[in-house]
Amino acid sequence: MNLGSKERLVVGAIGGVGVLALIAVDLDSWRWAISSVVVLQMLTAALALVVPRRVKVRKPKLPPNAVLNVAQNNEALLRIERAIENVSLRIVTESQATQQEMTGRIDKGASALSRELKRFSARLDRGGDEDVREVEALIQLFARIQPRAAMPSSGRWALDPTGLLQLVDLVERIKPRVVVDLGSGTSTVWLAYALEIAGVGRLIAVDHDEHYAKETRRTLANHGFTDASKVEVRLAPLAEGDLPGHTTPWYSTDVLDDIEGVDILVVDGPPQATGPVARYPAVGFFADKFAPNAFVVMDDFNREQEKAIVVRWSEEHPSLVPYVGASAGQRQAVLRFGDSA
């Protein structure tokens, strides 16, 4: 059968598209390869519609080049189908692996979240117990002391109510003659009231920061503590010390040299930010200035540095021992020279 111009055009197009499909496969351009296959199918359908109308005259007979083009097209189509199957299989495999990985991560994340929630719940429970203790301590403080003005805030940088109550209780119990408060602030005001009620003693508060020293003086004045012979705030800027193996600055000692007969030393400064074990020099400096059976109160004893300092004090001063009369479970360590009674 002779092909007319339309049939030859369609067959030629099929051959050209087949060649394009082969080139696309060789170049791993699957988008173009698939598109070529679609076009091949459309052209083949068009050829099927055109050729039958001419079968009435002669036996169909395709030219050799048309047969070759169809064979090439079939081979290309098979190659494309196999490539598509490989890509599909790869996609499925990678999707399954990704899904397994994500499932593992989600499980790990859920487990970690569950652990964090349990720890957070435990902290909330402990925090609730601590809040109750602090409120109870604050009630006891105001039951013992009736301030003449608004009291400064406790907690955070200042002593907690439980620590303040412990100091007030200690003052009422031993009636000290000299109390030194390293780190002025809220504790200074409560100690001033405790000494006033006890009817004895002198309070010397020390601060390295001029602003906080002024604020403490102003607060004390608002509460009526204006007699420097009874309550005094001293400014002692930080200076390099001469203790062996200790390079962190401490209070200027010339401001403290005249202090003698200390019955209670409250160590709540300098701040931790000034350097490692910043409060260590306190006991060493006042070693010759303590009265017999003097007390040392270390605040922030829940921190590792303060714990390490107390251990060093105990090693260097064997007579400095824990005071069994102190309340248990507080954030202060109460020590006493002489014995533990």
Side-chain angles (χ1 to χ4, degrees), residues 165-284:
L165 180 61
Q166 188 157 248
L167 286 180
V168 170
D169 184 71
L170 187 60
V171 169
E172 292 180 355
R173 186 179 304 181
I174 71 171
K175 292 180 170 51
R177 290 167 296 175
V178 178
V179 178
V180 176
D181 185 17
L182 299 180
S184 71
T186 300
S187 59
T188 307
V189 182
W190 285 101
L191 284 169
Y193 273 112
L195 288 171
E196 182 182 68
I197 293 173
V200 295
R202 176 190 179 197
L203 173 62
I204 302 172
V206 180
D207 209 301
H208 75 286
D209 189 285
E210 184 175 2
H211 169 74
Y212 288 112
K214 288 182 178 179
E215 283 297 310
T216 303
R217 292 192 191 104
R218 182 185 61 81
T219 303
L220 288 169
N222 290 340
H223 287 265
F225 297 106
T226 57
D227 187 349
S229 64
K230 294 183 178 180
V231 181
E232 178 186 4
V233 179
R234 296 188 181 184
L235 177 63
L238 299 181
E240 297 296 330
D242 56 358
L243 290 175
H246 183 78
T247 58
T248 302
W250 198 68
Y251 299 110
S252 300
T253 56
D254 56 345
V255 181
L256 312 174
D257 282 336
D258 63 316
I259 301 175
E260 298 289 343
V262 178
D263 292 296
I264 299 177
L265 174 65
V266 181
V267 185
D268 192 23
Q272 186 182 41
T274 60
V277 291
R279 301 176 182 180
Y280 165 70
V283 169

Side-chain angles (χ1 to χ4, degrees), residues 127-137:
D129 294 339
E130 291 179 2
D131 291 341
V132 171
R133 285 196 296 269
E134 297 302 333
V135 170
E136 290 175 344

Side-chain angles (χ1 to χ4, degrees), residues 20-206:
L20 288 176
L22 290 173
I23 294 173
V25 170
D26 291 336
L27 296 178
D28 289 334
S29 179
W30 303 112
R31 180 178 177 184
W32 284 103
I34 294 171
S35 298
S36 299
V37 171
V38 173
V39 174
L40 280 173
Q41 292 176 343
M42 293 176 64
L43 292 174
T44 303
L47 183 63
L49 292 175
V50 174
V51 171
R53 289 199 298 265
R54 305 182 64 89
V55 172
K56 297 178 181 180
V57 179
R58 297 179 182 179
K59 184 178 179 180
K61 184 178 180 181
L62 295 176
N65 61 337
V67 175
L68 179 60
N69 289 341
V70 172
Q72 291 175 345
N73 292 341
N74 291 335
E75 182 180 356
L77 183 59
L78 290 174
R79 291 176 60 185
I80 292 172
E81 289 176 351
R82 287 195 296 269
I84 291 175
E85 289 177 358
N86 292 334
V87 172
S88 299
L89 180 61
R90 186 187 308 169
I91 292 173
V92 171
T93 303
E94 292 180 356
S95 298
Q96 291 175 346
T98 302
Q99 183 178 3
Q100 292 177 355
E101 182 182 358
M102 292 300 296
T103 301
R105 289 182 180 180
I106 291 173
D107 291 341
K108 290 181 180 179
S111 300
L113 179 60
S114 177
R115 291 193 298 271
E116 285 299 321
L117 286 175
K118 290 179 180 178
R119 284 196 287 265
F120 181 68
S121 178
R123 286 198 298 269
L124 283 180
D125 292 340
R126 290 195 299 270
D129 294 339
E130 291 179 2
D131 291 341
V132 171
R133 285 196 296 269
E134 297 302 333
V135 170
E136 290 175 344
L138 199 60
I139 292 172
Q140 294 183 60
L141 280 170
F142 282 103
R144 296 187 184 192
I145 296 172
Q146 288 76 45
R148 292 181 286 270
M151 295 295 284
S153 299
S154 58
R156 297 193 67 185
W157 303 115
L159 268 72
D160 291 328
T162 51
L164 294 170
L165 180 61
Q166 188 157 248
L167 286 180
V168 170
D169 184 71
L170 187 60
V171 169
E172 292 180 355
R173 186 179 304 181
I174 71 171
K175 292 180 170 51
R177 290 167 296 175
V178 178
V179 178
V180 176
D181 185 17
L182 299 180
S184 71
T186 300
S187 59
T188 307
V189 182
W190 285 101
L191 284 169
Y193 273 112
L195 288 171
E196 182 182 68
I197 293 173
V200 295
R202 176 190 179 197
L203 173 62
I204 302 172
V206 180

